[in-house]
């Protein structure tokens, strides 16, 4: 399996009780939360990198992302592209 250095996936942010739930429609079980939009963006980037690393580490094929305009959202949701730069994620995980 070829590992890429960059991945970009659409995520869905849902405002709830002053915070934001975040999930990745193309990646089953990849989700996070932030108490503010800024924190949710940071957490989404971190969650994406860790999740993709776990797939790579287990030899699971990483699915191709959908285009952002293909993601359906509800009234209190919006789509945001999230990028994961993998070399530092791999380095951090491999040190453990």
């Amino acid at each position: 399996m070829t590992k890429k250095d960059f991945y970009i996936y659409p995520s869905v942010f849902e405002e709830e009780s002053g915070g934001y739930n975040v999930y990745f429609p193309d990646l089953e079980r990849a989700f996070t939360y932030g108490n503010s939009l800024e924190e949710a963006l940071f957490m989404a980037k971190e969650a994406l990198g860790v999740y993709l690393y776990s797939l790579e580490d287990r030899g699971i094929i990483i699915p191709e992302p959908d285009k952002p305009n293909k993601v359906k959202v509800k009234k209190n949701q919006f789509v945001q592209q999230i990028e994961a730069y993998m070399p530092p994620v791999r380095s951090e995980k491999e040190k453990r």
Side-chain angles (χ1 to χ4, degrees):
M1 173 173 63
T2 304
K3 295 179 182 178
K4 295 167 41 175
D5 283 345
F6 286 99
Y7 292 96
I8 300 175
Y9 277 85
S11 63
V12 175
F13 282 64
E14 179 176 34
E15 190 171 8
E16 182 179 279
S17 303
Y20 292 87
N21 294 314
V22 183
Y23 70 92
F24 296 86
D26 300 311
L27 303 169
E28 188 177 320
R29 292 184 227 153
F31 54 89
T32 190
Y33 176 84
N35 290 316
S36 66
L37 183 55
E38 182 180 76
E39 182 181 37
L41 285 164
F42 175 83
M43 296 300 291
K45 188 171 183 172
E46 184 173 300
L48 179 60
V50 169
Y51 186 84
L52 294 174
Y53 175 82
S54 75
L55 295 181
E56 289 179 350
D57 192 49
R58 294 181 288 158
I60 297 172
I61 295 172
I62 295 174
E64 290 295 318
D66 275 339
K67 295 186 183 203
N69 62 346
K70 299 286 184 193
V71 178
K72 305 292 184 210
V73 294
K74 298 175 186 171
K75 184 179 179 181
N76 64 332
Q77 298 175 330
F78 64 91
V79 176
Q80 176 70 43
Q81 291 284 83
I82 302 295
E83 175 188 295
Y85 181 58
M86 297 304 292
V89 174
R90 290 182 193 118
S91 177
E92 175 68 26
K93 292 297 181 185
E94 290 165 5
K95 285 180 185 176
R96 293 180 182 195

